[in-house]
């Protein structure tokens, strides 16, 4: 089983010792409830670095809805078993009081990337990305990794982390890992477990919508038609309510209405099923018009 560390001082000491021994460290920040998506990040870190580390912290700063935070259940023993199996050496599991002594009051320092955080998930979940950016910065500073592993599943979050690492000149690489999906295409997420079996079947409309839009854009280069296709596929499932479907530039997340052939774009989609908010995205290169 991995070594479990619960204090910032202990984590700093362990990671400094490993670096002192010449080890290159990979870290994967998570909220726990580890599934195959997380496992792919952990295993990649273990295969690319001398030592793979994980953090498991249900960060209250990034939960805009108290009921979401209350619904977040993690079983540390299960998570440690997944981490061990993926080759993780040590896991940082701090308490809220260790990370945020002022909680439930606000933190005095906030890291924010407003140009990337204001749209999409940020617009619909006020404060969410400030919470993410602040905790990721603190975890990276406390760990001192050579590389940090993030999933493309949370594409807007990935862009924000890349930007803050560049702007704050943090010395680690950011490694983007592809989205792991269930056999019917639904992206693995701890939220999927909150769906009924009917809701779980209906949720497969998200990847169906995304991949239909992907194929349309890749062949016709028509952004408007591709997004209409995505909306139509979601509309066919009455229990799935669309939050947004957008085509954006892959780095700036600027929405685009039309593109030239060969331009890379990202298709973003969010929808609510049985009160559970689900997000997904896919990369696409626009075809000729
Ligand atoms: P979370 O615990 O939800 O904060 O996720 C921790 C990391 O795992 C983030 O970088 C996520 O993007 C990544 N992740 C979550 N689900 C998946 C998935 N289905 N495929 C790949 N990465 C994922």
């Amino acid at each position: 089983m991995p070594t479990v560390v619960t204090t910032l001082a202990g984590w700093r000491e362990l990671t400094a010792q490993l670096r002192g021994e010449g080890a290159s460290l990979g870290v994967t920040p998570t909220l726990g409830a580890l599934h195959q998506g997380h496992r792919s990040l952990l295993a990649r870190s273990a295969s690319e670095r001398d030592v793979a580390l994980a953090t498991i912290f249900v960060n209250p700063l990034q939960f805009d809805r108290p009921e979401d935070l209350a619904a977040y259940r993690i079983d540390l023993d299960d998570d440690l078993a997944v981490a061990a199996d993926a080759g993780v050496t040590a896991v940082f599991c701090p308490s809220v009081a260790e990370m945020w002594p002022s909680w439930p009051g606000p933190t005095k320092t906030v890291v924010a990337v407003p140009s990337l955080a204001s749209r999409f998930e940020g617009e619909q979940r006020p404060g969410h990305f400030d919470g993410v950016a602040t905790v990721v910065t603190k975890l990276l500073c406390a760990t001192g990794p050579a590389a940090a592993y993030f999933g493309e599943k949370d594409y807007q979050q990935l862009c924000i982390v890349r930007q803050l690492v560049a702007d704050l000149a943090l010395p680690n690489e950011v490694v983007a890992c592809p989205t792991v999906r269930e056999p019917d295409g639904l992206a693995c997420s701890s939220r999927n477990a909150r769906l009924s079996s009917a809701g779980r079947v209906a949720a497969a409309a998200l990847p169906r919508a995304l991949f239909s839009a992907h194929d349309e854009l890749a062949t016709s280069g028509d952004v408007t038609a591709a997004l209409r296709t995505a909306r139509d596929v979601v509309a066919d499932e009455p229990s799935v309510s669309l939050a947004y479907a957008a085509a954006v530039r892959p780095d700036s997340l600027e929405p685009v209405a039309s593109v030239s052939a060969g331009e890379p774009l990202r298709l973003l989609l969010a929808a609510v099923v049985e009160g559970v908010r689900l997000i997904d995205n896919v990369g696409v290169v626009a075809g000729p018009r």
Side-chain angles (χ1 to χ4, degrees):
M1 279 294 167
T3 303
V4 174
V5 177
T6 58
T7 64
L8 282 159
W11 188 246
R12 276 206 202 87
E13 193 182 318
L14 174 72
T15 54
Q17 185 194 327
L18 290 165
R19 278 192 307 276
E21 290 164 4
S24 131
L25 310 183
V27 71
T28 304
T30 78
L31 300 176
L34 302 184
H35 50 64
Q36 289 304 314
H38 298 113
R39 196 187 181 290
S40 71
L41 275 57
L42 298 169
R44 179 151 170 199
S45 162
S47 75
E48 292 182 353
R49 309 292 153 182
D50 299 325
V51 174
L53 305 170
T55 70
I56 295 179
F57 177 54
V58 183
N59 173 32
L61 299 185
Q62 72 192 68
F63 285 80
D64 49 305
R65 300 196 318 163
E67 57 273 29
D68 265 356
L69 178 59
Y72 220 92
R73 294 263 169 281
I74 70 169
D75 179 321
L76 191 57
D77 289 336
D78 285 357
D79 285 348
L80 292 176
V82 173
D85 188 54
V88 170
T89 300
V91 180
F92 182 44
C93 307
S95 65
V96 173
E98 177 70 8
M99 286 295 280
W100 310 124
S102 59
W103 177 260
T107 56
K108 295 201 173 85
T109 298
V110 177
V111 180
V113 189
S115 62
L116 293 173
S118 60
R119 290 196 181 94
F120 307 116
E121 288 310 287
E123 190 174 355
Q124 306 213 0
R125 303 182 61 189
H128 168 66
F129 284 124
D130 289 359
V132 170
T134 306
V135 79
V136 166
T137 303
K138 186 158 183 170
L139 292 170
L140 292 177
C141 289
T143 307
Y149 291 77
F150 287 87
E152 289 182 350
K153 155 78 170 49
D154 298 280
Y155 190 77
Q156 192 173 8
Q157 168 176 286
L158 170 66
C159 294
I160 287 169
V161 170
R162 278 189 179 130
Q163 192 67 51
L164 79 85
V165 165
D167 288 348
L168 301 178
L170 300 183
N172 58 274
E173 232 182 88
V174 175
V175 179
C177 304
T179 300
V180 176
R181 298 178 180 280
E182 301 288 354
D184 65 356
L186 183 66
C188 296
S189 165
S190 45
R191 290 170 175 236
N192 298 350
R194 289 160 57 187
L195 300 171
S196 71
S197 47
R200 172 63 191 77
V201 171
L206 274 86
R208 267 204 313 280
L210 262 183
F211 287 106
S212 304
H214 169 282
D215 293 351
E216 173 121 27
L217 194 49
T219 48
S220 75
D222 186 337
V223 174
T224 308
L227 294 179
R228 191 183 315 119
T229 298
R231 288 191 194 102
D232 288 348
V233 172
V234 171
D236 276 347
E237 279 291 351
S239 60
V240 180
S241 114
L242 187 71
Y244 57 79
V248 300
R249 304 244 174 255
D251 297 323
S252 68
L253 302 180
E254 284 294 327
V256 293
S258 63
V259 280
S260 311
E263 271 189 70
L265 292 179
R266 204 85 195 175
L267 294 171
L268 308 179
L269 194 140
V272 178
V273 186
E274 297 176 332
V276 180
R277 187 179 179 82
L278 301 173
I279 57 171
D280 202 349
N281 69 88
V282 66
V284 59
V285 175
R289 284 220 67 178

